[in-house]
Amino acid sequence: MDEQAKPVDLESLATFQQDRVLMSSPTTGSTYVLGKLHGEQAIVHVQKTALDAETAGHLVKTGLEDVQVDLDNRPYFSAHARIRHTPTSPPDVILKLIWPATDTHIRKYSAQVREMIRETPELYEKVVVPYIESFPKERLEWVYNIMDGKKEADRVLFKDDHKEDGFLILPDLKWDGTTMSALYLTVLVNSPIRSKRDLKKSHIPLLKRIRAQVFRTAQKKYGVPPQSLRLFVHYQPSYYHFHVHVVHIQHEGLAGMTVGQAHMLDDIISLLELSSPEPAPTILSQMTFTYALGVEHGLYEALAAGQAENLQHTEEDGRMEKRSADAYDETPLGQKHART
């Protein structure tokens, strides 16, 4: 990769060669496009910016031009219009770029069928752990760059450099930085925790400090009170360095908040508090987690095969129990209650 090449400026983007659309959502106004930039695979995410509720009335009054009415049926009217641009106008779209994009990125952002997976602790050890360990350290280099202050330092809202119990808070790239009802922050921890499966009782103070600091930061920086925030963790996560998602409660249409994928931080803390003292395994490490997984995900084939095998064993055990019950029912009544 040409380290000197600038991926996000008008001159560079003009060289983007589109290959195909990976995924598009009319609900969020979001489209992922695969192509090439500077000779390497790139994914461009184009999304319409949200309308700021505070300025909507002003926009209607003075900020529109070329209004074209397409429905006139009193009391209902509908029209298309263009926004009149001024030096202070907000941007029309948000651009996000993954460059160079790997095959894993392409699979992740491609429209795909999803199926429900039941991940037992045994499947986690047999399938998920080797999958995580197969990734080179460079895969998380972008995370380490943030943690070390080499990248995005100007975006960090809070940072505690303690090696084990430290963490930082910064705006998530999915937020436009202005629409409070769509506020989205991310918390990255310093400790080498991969996912919630790795959490122990000794991590409870860290998780509680994260919760308290997020509340303080959101209130002080953006005026958003604690009761307006959702704090949750993904499983499976999109990358295996433990992080917490912080989203405004009014945020709508976020796929990452679906049942099975999003796990509330408060619930995780409670389960750790209910777990036996170390070194006993935690409840989280012993649970079976059920979640939707895309068929293009690197874990899908192995987990689906393991799930099918477990289901087969369960059905066989059920048939054996039924045969035992049937044999018992056929036993003469006197023998069933015979004393030994």
Side-chain angles (χ1 to χ4, degrees):
M1 182 177 76
D2 182 359
E3 297 292 345
Q4 302 303 315
K6 294 182 178 181
V8 187
D9 61 20
L10 290 176
E11 183 179 354
S12 181
L13 292 174
T15 68
F16 179 72
Q17 297 176 319
Q18 178 175 331
D19 181 6
R20 67 182 188 275
V21 173
L22 298 177
M23 181 167 50
S24 183
S25 169
T27 302
T28 62
S30 175
T31 300
Y32 292 86
V33 182
L34 175 66
K36 284 195 172 182
L37 191 65
H38 301 297
E40 295 182 288
Q41 288 191 136
I43 297 173
V44 178
H45 177 205
V46 185
Q47 183 174 16
K48 293 284 290 184
T49 54
L51 180 63
D52 184 0
E54 299 296 326
T55 62
H58 177 74
L59 176 67
V60 171
K61 184 176 180 179
T62 63
L64 300 178
E65 60 185 17
D66 191 22
V67 178
Q68 298 181 5
V69 177
D70 49 37
L71 173 63
D72 183 346
N73 185 12
R74 192 181 302 269
Y76 300 107
F77 301 85
S78 176
H80 287 85
R82 300 182 187 278
I83 296 177
R84 179 180 292 115
H85 289 278
T86 68
T88 59
S89 295
D92 295 320
V93 298
I94 303 171
L95 286 177
K96 303 185 186 77
L97 178 67
I98 301 175
W99 172 76
T102 65
D103 290 341
T104 301
H105 290 131
I106 295 172
R107 287 195 298 269
K108 176 182 177 181
Y109 293 107
S110 294
Q112 57 190 286
V113 173
R114 283 174 165 76
E115 295 184 359
M116 297 305 294
I117 293 292
R118 295 184 72 254
E119 181 193 293
T120 63
E122 294 74 25
L123 272 180
Y124 172 74
E125 292 294 337
K126 180 180 178 181
V127 176
V128 180
V129 171
Y131 173 78
I132 297 173
E133 294 177 345
S134 70
F135 293 130
K137 185 178 180 180
E138 292 73 25
R139 185 183 175 94
L140 290 175
E141 184 176 2
W142 67 273
V143 175
Y144 304 140
N145 284 340
I146 296 174
M147 304 301 297
D148 295 338
K150 297 177 181 178
K151 297 286 186 180
E152 304 186 42
D154 58 329
R155 302 180 66 245
V156 173
L157 304 174
F158 172 85
K159 187 174 184 180
D160 179 341
D161 287 322
H162 190 281
K163 185 175 180 181
E164 292 297 326
D165 297 325
F167 59 92
L168 62 78
I169 306 171
L170 76 167
D172 192 278
L173 289 177
K174 289 184 281 295
W175 184 38
D176 62 14
T178 59
T179 309
M180 287 302 116
S181 61
L183 180 140
Y184 199 146
L185 309 177
T186 299
V187 182
L188 297 171
V189 302
N190 290 350
S191 182
I193 304 167
R194 297 174 298 190
S195 75
K196 71 174 190 172
R197 285 276 197 190
D198 288 345
L199 291 171
K200 307 181 186 306
K201 284 185 77 75
S202 58
H203 290 127
I204 293 175
L206 167 62
L207 300 180
K208 288 185 174 180
R209 286 181 56 239
I210 287 174
R211 180 175 60 189
Q213 186 59 55
V214 162
F215 289 162
R216 285 193 292 268
T217 299
Q219 179 79 68
K220 182 178 180 180
K221 179 72 175 177
Y222 303 112
V224 178
Q227 63 269 25
S228 295
L229 296 173
R230 284 190 179 100
L231 281 69
F232 57 90
V233 172
H234 281 159
Y235 194 82
Q236 293 286 332
S238 56
Y239 54 95
Y240 293 94
H241 182 97
F242 186 73
H243 54 286
V244 179
H245 301 262
V246 181
V247 177
H248 198 288
I249 197 169
Q250 293 182 12
H251 200 304
E252 298 177 349
L254 188 64
M257 293 192 296
T258 54
V259 172
Q261 183 182 14
H263 302 260
M264 299 300 291
L265 182 63
D266 285 343
D267 294 342
I268 290 174
I269 292 173
S270 294
L271 288 171
L272 290 173
E273 290 175 332
L274 292 170
S275 297
S276 300
E278 296 181 27
T282 65
I283 293 174
L284 289 171
S285 68
Q286 299 177 83
M287 285 181 65
T288 292
F289 291 112
T290 302
Y291 51 84
L293 195 66
V295 298
E296 296 293 331
H297 195 287
L299 281 170
Y300 172 76
E301 288 188 7
L303 283 177
Q307 178 175 260
E309 184 178 343
N310 288 343
L311 180 61
Q312 181 180 358
H313 291 163
T314 300
E315 291 175 346
E316 290 175 354
D317 291 343
R319 286 193 292 269
M320 291 180 64
E321 290 178 2
K322 185 176 186 304
R323 285 197 293 268
S324 298
D326 291 345
Y328 177 81
D329 289 340
E330 293 172 2
T331 303
L333 183 61
Q335 294 183 26
K336 289 182 182 179
H337 300 285
R339 295 178 182 271
T340 57

